[in-house]
Amino acid sequence: MTSERKIKLAPSILSADFSRLGEQVSEATQAGADYIHLDVMDGQFVPNLTFGPVVIEGLKSYTNLPLDAHLMIVEPDRRIQDFVNAGVDHITVHAEACVHLHKVLQQIKEGGCRAGVALNPTTPIAAIEEALPFLDIVLILTVNPGFGGQVLIPEVLGKVRKLKEMAAEKGCQVEIEVDGGINADTAPSVVRAGADTLVAGSAVFNKQETVAEAVAKLRNSLKELSIP
Ligand code: DX5
Ligand code: ZN
């Protein structure tokens, strides 16, 4: 049975070949991705360092897709404007990194971007219950953020189900994005739990197949699914 609800795919360039990042972004775009997911890490909030606004600005000319920035940084309020200026379309901050979450979400919206909040695997949905009316996106981490290629923690999918119910009860239109360990084997269970958007890094950018083949494989894994 095919569904009304189209699941979006957001390849994360964290696993891409950084020596030809622009090309890889173009490949993901041509393969039919919906967003380009950008994992920004500061070496403090997570134990890894990646890239920032300068690199993102340089990637803009390689795609017309929305740029989906996932900020794994401390004090994100100090950097929002830099990412707005770099031309991203979505800015997602970690709930664990924000003392004044509402204020940060306002900053993001004032910059003309969609506002998102991310939750680490054991941060409860309750932490953002009152923030739901101000959110466009909730990003549920199904691995501990910091690195690509980790195994999805299946227990976290219960949180995806809970969030879907909570958003429906409150009448909030929030996009549920899930990030970490998603591949053709795990994607169906993530979508069944209620995800609207799947972030995938190592399942899209790897040496075993082309980006187009990898994207097709992910989409095919969802084909037989009945999605409400
Ligand atoms: C984890 C990042 C993810 C990462 C996912 O810190 O937020 O976006 O790139 O990588 P995979 O899909 O390989 O788990
Ligand atoms: Zn991410």
Side-chain angles (χ1 to χ4, degrees), residues 37 39 70 72 179 199:
H37 185 81
D39 287 305
H70 173 194
M72 286 160 273
D179 185 4
V199 176

Side-chain angles (χ1 to χ4, degrees), residues 39-201:
D39 287 305
V40 177
M41 305 186 188
D42 67 353
Q44 275 198 74
F45 183 73
V46 288
N48 197 5
L49 275 169
T50 54
F51 50 80
V54 177
V55 171
I56 293 174
E57 205 176 338
L59 291 175
K60 252 198 104 61
S61 59
Y62 290 88
T63 186
N64 49 14
L65 294 178
L67 298 180
D68 184 44
H70 173 194
L71 305 189
M72 286 160 273
I73 64 175
V74 296
E75 299 181 21
D77 51 301
R78 296 176 52 211
R79 303 280 175 201
I80 299 301
Q81 196 55 47
D82 295 340
F83 288 95
V84 168
N85 295 345
V88 304
D89 300 277
H90 310 162
I91 300 181
T92 294
V93 294
H94 266 265
E96 303 86 358
C98 294
V99 181
H100 302 288
L101 181 59
H102 177 262
K103 206 167 158 190
V104 182
L105 298 175
Q106 271 182 318
Q107 252 182 295
I108 296 171
K109 288 187 177 175
E110 279 162 16
C113 295
R114 295 181 72 213
V117 70
L119 298 176
N120 282 336
T122 60
T123 303
I125 292 296
I128 55 154
E129 183 171 359
E130 307 307 328
L132 277 181
F134 311 104
L135 283 168
D136 300 304
I137 298 166
V138 177
L139 181 65
I140 303 282
L141 268 293
T142 38
V143 298
N144 289 296
F147 301 94
Q150 302 180 76
V151 176
L152 178 141
I153 304 166
E155 287 82 355
V156 181
L157 295 182
K159 245 166 68 174
V160 177
R161 280 186 281 272
K162 259 193 215 166
L163 171 61
K164 199 162 174 70
E165 281 168 24
M166 187 188 280
E169 267 167 33
K170 287 183 171 279
C172 295
Q173 294 289 329
V174 74
E175 179 175 345
I176 303 178
E177 212 175 333
V178 180
D179 185 4
I182 297 181
N183 53 43
D185 294 328
T186 56
S189 60
V190 179
V191 170
R192 257 185 247 116
D196 301 302
T197 302
L198 305 179
V199 176

